[in-house]
Amino acid sequence: MAFPTVTPPSGAPRPRLAFLGTGYLGATYAICFAELGYEVLGFDVDEAKIAKLSGGEVPFHEPGLDELLRGNLASGRLRFTTSYEQVADFADVHFICVGTPQRADGMGADLTYVETSVSNLARHLRRRALIVGKSTVPVGTAEWVEQLVAKHTDPALEVEVAWSPEFLQEGFAVEDVLRPNRIVVGVKTDWANSMLYASHKGVFDLAATEDREVPLVVTDFATAELVKVAANAFLATKISFINAMAEVCEVAGGDVTQLSKAIGYDPRIGNRFLQAGVGFGGGCLPKDIRAFQARAQELGAGEALRFLHEVDLVNQRRRTRVTQLATELLGRLPGPAGPDLAGTRIAVLGAAFKPNSDDVRDSPSLSIANTLAKAGADVHVYDPQGMANARLARPKLNYEESMTDAVTGADLVCVLTEWAEFRNADPVTLGELVNARRVIDGRNCLDATLWARAGWEYRGMGRPNPSV
Ligand code: UDX
């Protein structure tokens, strides 16, 4: 596809880029696009966050990002600010990367941050610019953002709106931004299309030097918005599908890890995102499938997404399963008010919603740790990166500085996030520290036979007990 060259309104040779909202998404994009050679300004209302970033410190754990941040600050291509005025004055293309959390009063998405950032930015614009939504939003948001922009800018400036969803996975975010598997843009005009192409040329050029191609899908607003939620709904469904199979394996005596391997060899199914365990968490999948259902209901297509309710239920049931297994292993009875685990000490290994991340939003591990503590157990949590966030989210749990501290004296060890440190732990060494050798492998990430041989009573998710 040929793209007419476009002169950015600032007069700079390449569009100058702003990223509004410097959370996991915006900070990673800002840093990576500076790395691709763009002049970049990152914006956030949180002064502490901006001070950290300006000082060369990434406020969250993401492999490889610190180094890129420091390099690009030093090059002068990357700066951070808390001033809308500076952002408006600097950039040609403004990417909106603010959070869209679940609403406190329902399943829908809370668009307050989108509204505030767009309105404040628009009020300060003094020349033509493109505002591009990246946040995950209900379909129809881009049209609404256009109306906000029209309300707050002089029509003579011809400020335009576009939508370009992102697909980065925490833990692989740098790679996902520099080498995405596709770029999707929802645009209404050739100008917006050309500006977005120019803003991503660094990504296409990098691909060309590595003999790769990055597919580009140019579409309308609604489709661009839907692509993101549809992709996340599909991933969530895939995980809940295999977890539903785990439930069946549990009653039928099958092994879901082998079942998953066997069906995954069929390329139509594929073996990725087919790991049974305690289910999905994080800042995206759980809230996105709920917001998608809420929006479809509003639009009159609620029935089409009813299955996502089941996807959510399967996911929640896997968390309950760990409490059930703990109750059984500890020889307690599940009473009418739930199990009584008083007098037991449980080590929970993992607090982050997945390994290589410090993110504990809607983390299955932390939610299970909380349920066990509520049932009366003395719960001791350890996570290689997620401790600070876990302490903030669940201040009442006990936190330990190391895996050995957490498991010492435990009556039960629950591995709930598959960090390499836990996967590679030696069951013989750990066995000498605990009070009783009982382990729940919430991610099916341990070698069941090895643990059983070391004298552990092992329980996985959807797999039979190992024979020694
Ligand atoms: C997800 C999407 O993958 C990404 O494309 C989108 O942009 C944002 O949402 P992320 O939230 O970083 O990314 O996490 P992801 O790697 O998708 O994992 C989500 C959850 O599913 C984690 O809790 C993970 O442990 C769980 N999971 C994943 C499984 O339980 N089984 C699997 O097979 C895969």
Side-chain angles (χ1 to χ4, degrees), residues 278 317-334 338-348 368-369 371-373 375-379 411-416 436-442 457-461:
V278 289
R317 277 205 300 275
R318 290 288 81 189
R319 300 182 183 190
T320 316
R321 172 73 179 158
V322 175
T323 312
Q324 242 177 32
L325 283 174
T327 310
E328 272 170 42
L329 271 176
L330 291 164
R332 299 300 175 96
L333 289 175
D340 179 5
L341 301 179
T344 63
R345 178 175 165 141
I346 300 181
V348 166
I368 293 165
T371 309
L372 295 170
D378 177 21
V379 176
D411 300 297
L412 169 67
V413 174
C414 300
V415 178
L416 302 183
R437 297 181 184 195
R438 302 183 186 106
V439 63
I440 296 176
D441 181 3
E457 233 180 309
Y458 172 98
R459 294 287 183 280
M461 306 294 286

Side-chain angles (χ1 to χ4, degrees), residues 166-170 228 232 235 239 243 272-285 288 353-355 364 418 443:
E166 54 72 35
F167 306 100
L168 64 83
Q169 304 164 72
E170 290 174 27
K228 175 61 194 274
N232 276 357
L235 294 173
I239 299 168
N243 280 331
R272 299 190 58 197
F273 269 70
L274 221 45
Q275 299 280 334
V278 289
F280 57 82
C284 296
L285 300 192
D288 288 354
F353 82 104
K354 66 174 186 181
E418 67 276 36
R443 294 288 183 181

Side-chain angles (χ1 to χ4, degrees), residues 234-296:
F234 191 87
L235 294 173
T237 304
K238 206 169 174 192
I239 299 168
S240 275
F241 174 84
I242 202 64
N243 280 331
M245 295 305 110
E247 289 188 13
V248 178
C249 283
E250 276 156 15
V251 291
D255 184 337
V256 77
T257 60
Q258 289 182 10
L259 181 140
S260 155
K261 211 187 278 174
I263 63 171
Y265 284 127
D266 183 336
R268 291 170 303 174
I269 296 174
N271 57 12
R272 299 190 58 197
F273 269 70
L274 221 45
Q275 299 280 334
V278 289
F280 57 82
C284 296
L285 300 192
K287 78 152 172 74
D288 288 354
I289 60 166
R290 290 174 200 145
F292 196 13
Q293 288 170 78
R295 186 61 181 145

Side-chain angles (χ1 to χ4, degrees), residues 41-292:
L41 188 58
F43 167 91
D44 207 291
V45 289
D46 184 337
E47 292 188 0
K49 213 183 256 178
I50 290 300
K52 272 194 180 171
L53 285 162
S54 303
E57 193 188 330
V58 178
F60 49 88
H61 176 75
E62 185 60 50
L65 203 54
D66 286 270
E67 219 177 291
L68 292 186
L69 169 64
R70 288 194 279 272
N72 285 289
L73 284 173
S75 76
R77 278 194 303 272
L78 176 62
R79 288 175 304 123
F80 293 93
T81 183
T82 54
S83 155
Y84 280 110
E85 211 173 342
Q86 269 183 30
V87 172
D89 185 51
F90 169 82
D92 299 298
V93 180
H94 301 267
F95 291 96
I96 305 296
C97 303
V98 295
T100 50
Q102 188 173 337
R103 292 169 64 111
D105 62 354
M107 296 211 309
D110 180 350
L111 294 178
T112 315
Y113 302 125
V114 174
E115 183 171 12
T116 316
S117 56
V118 169
S119 307
N120 283 322
L121 168 67
R123 272 189 211 111
H124 287 93
L125 288 171
R126 299 289 175 266
R127 64 167 187 268
R128 197 175 194 193
L130 182 66
I131 298 180
V132 185
K134 274 220 163 287
S135 309
T136 305
V137 291
V139 58
T141 302
E143 296 281 350
W144 171 72
V145 165
E146 256 190 345
Q147 290 162 20
L148 283 179
V149 171
K151 194 165 125 192
H152 295 294
T153 59
D154 178 350
L157 295 182
E158 296 182 289
V159 173
E160 291 195 29
V161 171
W163 217 262
S164 179
E166 54 72 35
F167 306 100
L168 64 83
Q169 304 164 72
E170 290 174 27
F172 304 94
V174 170
E175 213 34 35
D176 283 350
V177 175
L178 294 177
R179 297 177 178 82
N181 48 27
R182 78 285 210 191
I183 288 174
V184 178
V185 296
V187 287
K188 282 194 177 168
T189 67
D190 286 345
W191 185 76
N193 198 11
S194 305
M195 285 294 283
L196 266 174
Y197 185 78
S199 305
H200 287 90
K201 194 164 179 302
V203 175
F204 296 120
D205 288 349
L206 174 66
T209 63
E210 295 173 349
D211 216 11
R212 286 181 294 114
E213 266 187 44
V214 178
L216 171 66
V217 180
V218 181
T219 183
D220 52 74
F221 281 5
T223 309
E225 292 164 323
L226 284 169
V227 165
K228 175 61 194 274
V229 278
N232 276 357
F234 191 87
L235 294 173
T237 304
K238 206 169 174 192
I239 299 168
S240 275
F241 174 84
I242 202 64
N243 280 331
M245 295 305 110
E247 289 188 13
V248 178
C249 283
E250 276 156 15
V251 291
D255 184 337
V256 77
T257 60
Q258 289 182 10
L259 181 140
S260 155
K261 211 187 278 174
I263 63 171
Y265 284 127
D266 183 336
R268 291 170 303 174
I269 296 174
N271 57 12
R272 299 190 58 197
F273 269 70
L274 221 45
Q275 299 280 334
V278 289
F280 57 82
C284 296
L285 300 192
K287 78 152 172 74
D288 288 354
I289 60 166
R290 290 174 200 145
F292 196 13

